[in-house]
Amino acid sequence: MKGTWVATLRGYVWVKLIGGEAEAFLNAATKEQVPLWNISYNRAGELNFGVSVPDFFRLRPLLRESGSRTRILSRHGLPFRMARLARRKTFAGGMLAFVAALFLLSTLVWDVRVEGNSAIPEEKIRQAAKEEGIFEYQWSFRLQDAASLSQRLALRLPEAAWVGVDRRGTSISITVIDSTKPEKLTLEGPRHLVAKTDAVVTRIIAENGRPKVERNDRVRKGDILISGIIGDEQRNKAVVSKGKVMGLVWHEYRIESPLVTKSKNLTGAAQERSYLIIGNRALQISGYGEPSYENSQTRTSVHRAQLWKKLMPFGTMKEHELEVIEIEKKRTPAEAKEAGLAQARAEMLAKAGKDAVIKAENILHEQTENGKVLLTVLFEVEQSIAIERPIG
């Protein structure tokens, strides 16, 4: 029974039996169903055992029958702790004051969060909430119920479609959902679609306006592809030309690809340092000494203390300094050439646009010198060649 919460709650004592007949005492205790535990004999041959406080007072007639007496070795459990606490009035008063302070702190609002993907500035939402009494360190009993707060906040934020207030313990979350507004359409003036570079037209789709070129036509930069003037010479009007024009464009690229590449790798060796953070200062508490790393990188993690989900101005910080070595990798001219071409293709497609496709590539010049492979490549790319030009 020792160590159980029932024994701790009732209180228990360790007892030594002095004199008399120990076996007679144990038989009487068993007969009267008095629970004893951890029964043993010490070196002097005296019986030791544990018994709860209520059952201890039931032992008196049994002790008289066996001609024994008891000596209490130690006392344990809640009743004895409360008795000791009653003798320490200052400590008891401090405990009561702590409980009272904890109760008062639990009635404060410690955290106000604004949630939801709203276009309304958070400062405006917080100001409206403050006018309704929702702010940090406010007494929670001074606030209205969540439904009333939601309605009053919705009146202060007419651009919101719905406002919800949720109170959980010492924190309040405000969720704002914007009202759906029609998309504002920008006014477009009459315009042509013209070529932004020299090219050969491969495809033309005119959604609005009049096409001025056909497939396989060669165009120069600035030529009109889809005209914004429709009609004849007597009757015409300017419109917003729309469409898609694809063409073949040639790009000359110069590539330098090294035969030796260098990369940084972690060796696995590391040193850890710990700090105690107070405000904006950090006091180192472990990990002294300079590491013997020639090259390293440091990763930092900060853990601040929290009280009811509110960050406090103190905590701990850990720095992990990791050893880094530089590894050289040699490539053959063929490998360097392919790596340079792959990088050039990626840069070319990113520059030409999402619909661009490389149709062909032609290496005009190739040589190896000074530890590099030098290439001059001509790319044939099918890409969008139309840009807008207003009709003056």
Side-chain angles (χ1 to χ4, degrees), residues 88-260:
R88 301 170 62 183
K89 296 181 180 179
T90 303
F91 180 74
M95 286 290 293
L96 292 175
F98 173 76
V99 173
L102 191 63
F103 173 75
L104 289 176
L105 292 175
S106 66
T107 60
L108 287 173
V109 175
W110 286 92
D111 186 29
V112 177
R113 297 189 303 272
V114 177
E115 301 175 347
N117 188 14
S118 173
I120 305 174
E122 183 174 335
E123 293 77 10
K124 184 176 181 180
I125 299 173
R126 288 188 176 274
Q127 181 59 34
K130 188 174 182 179
E131 292 172 359
E132 292 298 332
I134 305 174
F135 52 87
E136 293 179 353
Y137 312 121
Q138 166 71 291
W139 297 107
S140 58
F141 58 79
R142 299 184 62 181
L143 295 173
Q144 300 181 20
D145 60 276
S148 299
L149 290 172
S150 300
Q151 294 176 359
R152 296 179 68 87
L153 275 179
L155 294 176
R156 291 186 180 273
L157 301 170
E159 58 267 57
W162 181 82
V163 179
V165 176
D166 184 21
R167 293 175 55 180
R168 293 188 179 181
T170 59
S171 64
I172 296 178
S173 60
I174 303 172
T175 305
V176 179
I177 298 178
D178 292 344
S179 57
T180 304
K181 296 181 179 180
E183 183 181 355
K184 292 184 179 179
L185 300 177
T186 57
L187 296 176
E188 297 178 324
R191 67 192 180 195
H192 298 303
L193 291 183
V194 301
K196 62 181 178 182
T197 184
D198 297 349
V200 174
V201 178
T202 58
R203 184 164 38 127
I204 181 168
I205 301 174
E207 298 177 10
N208 196 26
R210 183 175 59 178
K212 299 288 286 185
V213 295
E214 296 180 352
R215 188 170 180 269
N216 296 327
D217 285 353
R218 181 178 292 274
V219 295
R220 293 187 176 275
K221 182 178 180 179
D223 288 350
I224 296 177
L225 303 175
I226 299 178
S227 174
I229 305 295
I230 60 175
D232 52 25
E233 295 182 357
Q234 286 77 25
R235 297 181 180 181
N236 58 62
K237 67 175 183 177
V239 297
V240 179
S241 58
K242 295 181 181 180
K244 183 176 183 181
V245 183
M246 303 292 291
L248 291 177
V249 182
W250 289 266
H251 301 270
E252 187 175 307
Y253 232 80
R254 288 179 174 82
I255 302 170
E256 293 184 2
S257 184
L259 294 174
V260 178

Side-chain angles (χ1 to χ4, degrees), residues 286-349:
S286 69
Y288 294 99
E290 293 294 331
S292 58
Y293 307 146
E294 184 176 351
N295 295 303
S296 63
Q297 66 181 36
T298 302
R299 297 175 182 175
T300 304
S301 59
V302 178
H303 301 279
R304 290 192 176 273
Q306 287 186 330
L307 180 62
W308 288 293
K309 297 185 180 181
K310 184 174 182 63
L311 291 177
M312 306 303 290
F314 54 85
T316 59
M317 179 177 71
K318 287 190 176 181
E319 284 185 348
H320 298 270
E321 188 168 1
L322 310 173
E323 184 181 19
V324 177
I325 59 172
E326 195 174 69
I327 298 178
E328 291 187 353
K329 181 181 179 181
K330 294 183 178 180
R331 301 189 294 193
T332 64
E335 291 173 339
K337 172 184 175 181
E338 184 56 37
L341 286 173
Q343 182 178 354
R345 293 185 195 108
E347 293 177 359
M348 177 61 60
L349 293 175

